[in-house]
Amino acid sequence: MFEQKQNYNINDLIAIMALLRSPEGCPWDIEQTHASIRSNVIEEAYEVAEAIDRRASGGKSEGSEQLCEELGDLLLQVIFHAQMASEAGEFDFNGVCDVICKKLVYRHPHVFSVGDDAHIVPLNSVNTPEQVLRNWDDLKSSSKGEETAADRLESVPKLLPALTRGEKVGKRAAHTGFDFNNTEEVLRTLKSEVMELETAILHKKDVEIEEEFGDVLFTCCNLGRFLKKDCEKALTISINKFIMRFRELESMVTSSGKSIEELDATELEELWQKAKNAEKSADRLTE
């Protein structure tokens, strides 16, 4: 018998999920499988990330409420998958907690004083976040049975957004010493890759164009790593900026009594520059 409460905890969430999946529960929840709600995990993770960005750019009070809610939605996905696995006799939520706790202890030997690996920085030598991350990567690689550097590159999840995956692959390659020397070298490589793309476009070789375009993007991933800028975040900022400027352009066109389709390229470019200038003026006023 379900009892409504003023405040719930993790045990209540587990019980609610079990009830929803029971014969007396919800028809929709009952028919779901790991595969059918697979995309939900990704969507909820992105909504958490968006809530974090909103919290960073706005007030912490409202942003914290949104973040709390979105984290709950993401946790629901974990509970949902754990419940289905429990019904199949595979593992339950406690099993999920057990695995992650053991992993955290194993990958923090500088905190828990455990572990014996020749590649790990000794306890009294771990003084920086960079050393911690290096230890984490080494321990992770060891626990997954990755024997070569190529294995470590291959293990970066293929379903990650390509820009994020590119950053991680570049970072792991750099971990072996295979890397650019400085930002200037990355920029020279980027210019070279753009020239190769231009040549492919000139020759109208479709497969080569795609390959060279990919090389340009991958080099940008490495450039982002050297600049210490998140590629996904930087691109998102540019996309949002484009939408904002386009909205301003559309507003100017509408005010003139016309539609965008009626204007030629020259007129649109002129309005686009006005939209950019209007944005810059607004930015100066808020400084």
Side-chain angles (χ1 to χ4, degrees), residues 118-224:
H119 299 292
I120 306 309
V121 178
L123 174 64
N124 58 2
S125 300
V126 178
N127 299 313
T128 68
E130 290 74 23
Q131 290 175 325
V132 171
L133 288 177
R134 189 177 183 87
N135 269 4
W136 178 278
D137 287 340
D138 287 341
L139 285 163
K140 181 177 181 179
S141 180
S142 177
S143 67
K144 290 181 177 293
E146 296 165 358
E147 299 179 356
T148 67
D151 288 341
R152 298 187 71 178
L153 303 190
E154 186 70 29
S155 69
V156 176
K158 295 176 178 60
L159 289 180
L160 280 174
L163 289 177
T164 301
R165 187 178 178 222
E167 285 180 289
K168 287 184 175 292
V169 167
K171 183 178 180 180
R172 292 193 182 184
H175 192 64
T176 69
F178 185 78
D179 199 8
F180 297 95
N181 291 310
N182 48 51
T183 303
E184 290 70 27
E185 191 173 294
V186 187
L187 285 169
R188 285 196 298 271
T189 301
L190 179 58
K191 291 174 183 177
S192 175
E193 295 293 355
V194 170
M195 289 176 63
E196 291 180 15
L197 175 59
E198 290 174 341
T199 301
I201 294 172
L202 184 64
H203 293 161
K204 299 181 179 180
K205 296 181 178 179
D206 191 58
V207 174
E208 189 177 331
I209 289 172
E210 184 174 54
E211 181 179 332
E212 297 299 344
F213 181 48
D215 288 345
V216 169
L217 293 175
F218 185 52
T219 305
C220 284
C221 290
N222 283 299
L223 179 58

Side-chain angles (χ1 to χ4, degrees), residues 237-253:
I237 290 172
S238 289
I239 292 171
N240 290 342
K241 183 166 59 179
F242 174 84
I243 293 172
M244 185 167 58
R245 289 175 178 174
F246 187 88
R247 186 180 297 280
E248 178 65 22
L249 177 148
E250 187 176 40
S251 177
M252 287 188 286
V253 172

Side-chain angles (χ1 to χ4, degrees), residues 38-194:
R38 168 184 171 277
S39 63
N40 293 19
V41 178
I42 300 172
E43 291 172 10
E44 297 298 354
Y46 274 113
E47 289 188 16
V48 168
E50 191 168 309
I52 291 172
D53 289 344
R54 285 198 301 267
R55 183 176 183 273
S57 61
K60 282 191 176 181
S61 178
E62 180 182 351
S64 294
E65 291 180 6
Q66 293 174 334
L67 179 57
C68 181
E69 180 180 349
E70 297 301 345
L71 285 171
D73 290 344
L74 183 58
L75 176 59
L76 171 61
Q77 298 306 309
V78 177
I79 297 295
F80 208 144
H81 284 282
Q83 175 62 32
M84 290 188 287
S86 176
E87 293 165 5
E90 298 169 349
F91 59 84
D92 59 12
F93 184 69
N94 285 332
V96 174
C97 293
D98 178 60
V99 170
I100 190 59
C101 285
K102 289 176 179 175
K103 183 185 294 185
L104 286 171
V105 171
Y106 174 69
R107 294 186 185 175
H108 289 83
H110 54 290
V111 175
F112 299 103
S113 303
V114 297
D116 181 20
D117 195 306
H119 299 292
I120 306 309
V121 178
L123 174 64
N124 58 2
S125 300
V126 178
N127 299 313
T128 68
E130 290 74 23
Q131 290 175 325
V132 171
L133 288 177
R134 189 177 183 87
N135 269 4
W136 178 278
D137 287 340
D138 287 341
L139 285 163
K140 181 177 181 179
S141 180
S142 177
S143 67
K144 290 181 177 293
E146 296 165 358
E147 299 179 356
T148 67
D151 288 341
R152 298 187 71 178
L153 303 190
E154 186 70 29
S155 69
V156 176
K158 295 176 178 60
L159 289 180
L160 280 174
L163 289 177
T164 301
R165 187 178 178 222
E167 285 180 289
K168 287 184 175 292
V169 167
K171 183 178 180 180
R172 292 193 182 184
H175 192 64
T176 69
F178 185 78
D179 199 8
F180 297 95
N181 291 310
N182 48 51
T183 303
E184 290 70 27
E185 191 173 294
V186 187
L187 285 169
R188 285 196 298 271
T189 301
L190 179 58
K191 291 174 183 177
S192 175
E193 295 293 355
V194 170

